[in-house]
Amino acid sequence: MSKHVRIAPSVLSADFAQLRDDIAMLEAGGADWIHVDVMDGRFVPNLTFGAKVIETLRRLTSLPLDVHLMVVEPERYFDDFAAAGASGLTIHSEVAPHLDRQLARIQELGCTAGVAINPSTPVGVVGDVLDKLDLLLVMSVNPGFGGQTFIGRAVDRIARARMMLNAAGSPATLQVDGGINRDTIVKCWQAGADTFVAGNAVFAAKDPQAEIGILRAQCVHTA
Ligand code: DX5
Ligand code: ZN
């Protein structure tokens, strides 16, 4: 199991009226990545932001921008998002029939290439593209909204994903997203995840800046 813990707060839960302050707070709290949830109102019921906001975030921080594309036909946005400053692009397997080509294209643009899988998607869907995979994102909620309840089955799915990556000798990041908090993060870490998206747990905390370190400590203490 990787010993490196990454905390990736999601700006979906940020206050956009004070985005600069919120990003500075995340940096001060030791966030490793900034998670950016792009939703198109088609793949998921919600609508969020596009290249313009990624460009703004890029000016506000030098942290990696981990862009989670919850959109149909994600390849339409690769060039714009890479140019806007995305560090990694993660696409959903459910709307990516040409994963091999799409991942290669993301890497050509200089970004790390990730695949996200919904709670009902078989983990093995990425089994034949592991050589091109920089990140596997196991969703622990049905994507579309922040603040949802963690789906317990995700823990077993993470364990299976970890076995698959290890068996292939893949160094890919194993990320989990949705309902991560002080309790759920421990189970996911023990199952083999190394990178944790947290929206509500950070932004609704009494002390959001401190919460990042508290989430990380849950993992470190149970290593
Ligand atoms: C859900 C998004 C998540 C969301 C997580 O569709 O992909 O990244 O922001 O939010 P919390 O941590 O509040 O579940
Ligand atoms: Zn996300």
Side-chain angles (χ1 to χ4, degrees):
M1 185 192 293
S2 161
K3 290 293 169 203
H4 190 78
V5 182
R6 282 196 206 98
I7 306 293
S10 167
V11 288
L12 186 62
S13 300
D15 179 352
F16 275 67
Q18 49 165 45
L19 190 58
R20 183 186 297 272
D21 293 346
D22 275 4
I23 296 295
M25 177 277 289
L26 296 177
E27 282 190 355
D32 297 279
W33 292 357
I34 303 294
H35 185 80
V36 186
D37 287 306
V38 176
M39 305 185 189
D40 67 351
R42 294 183 64 199
F43 177 60
V44 291
N46 202 2
L47 194 61
T48 58
F49 25 75
K52 175 85 181 152
V53 168
I54 292 171
E55 211 179 277
T56 301
L57 289 164
R58 184 70 297 160
R59 280 189 279 118
L60 294 177
T61 181
S62 56
L63 287 177
L65 297 179
D66 168 37
V67 179
H68 178 190
L69 295 173
M70 286 160 276
V71 305
V72 298
E73 299 174 8
E75 64 280 0
R76 292 175 53 197
Y77 306 98
F78 291 170
D79 290 60
D80 283 357
F81 284 11
S87 311
L89 296 177
T90 297
I91 60 178
H92 267 267
S93 69
E94 301 82 8
V95 282
H98 305 291
L99 269 186
D100 187 83
R101 181 167 65 208
Q102 288 164 306
L103 294 176
R105 179 63 185 150
I106 291 171
Q107 289 168 340
E108 256 173 42
L109 290 166
C111 295
T112 53
V115 173
I117 52 174
N118 278 342
S120 60
T121 300
V123 171
V125 75
V126 293
D128 285 308
V129 289
L130 292 178
D131 58 322
K132 293 200 172 65
L133 196 66
D134 297 309
L135 177 149
L136 175 58
L137 168 52
V138 176
M139 291 303 301
S140 40
V141 296
N142 289 295
F145 302 93
Q148 301 184 78
T149 304
F150 183 85
I151 296 174
R153 279 192 60 78
V155 175
D156 177 59
R157 290 166 54 72
I158 290 165
R160 281 185 279 132
R162 171 48 66 202
M163 277 193 281
M164 178 183 65
L165 295 175
N166 287 357
S170 165
T173 294
L174 182 50
Q175 184 177 49
V176 56
D177 182 5
I180 291 296
N181 57 36
R182 293 179 191 189
D183 299 324
T184 57
I185 197 170
V186 179
K187 298 175 206 164
C188 296
W189 164 253
Q190 288 171 340
D194 50 53
T195 300
F196 305 90
V197 177
N200 197 54
V202 168
F203 284 95
K206 270 204 185 105
D207 182 345
Q209 185 173 320
E211 194 65 21
I212 297 167
I214 292 169
L215 290 172
R216 187 192 311 284
Q218 307 301 311
C219 304
V220 172
H221 291 151
T222 53

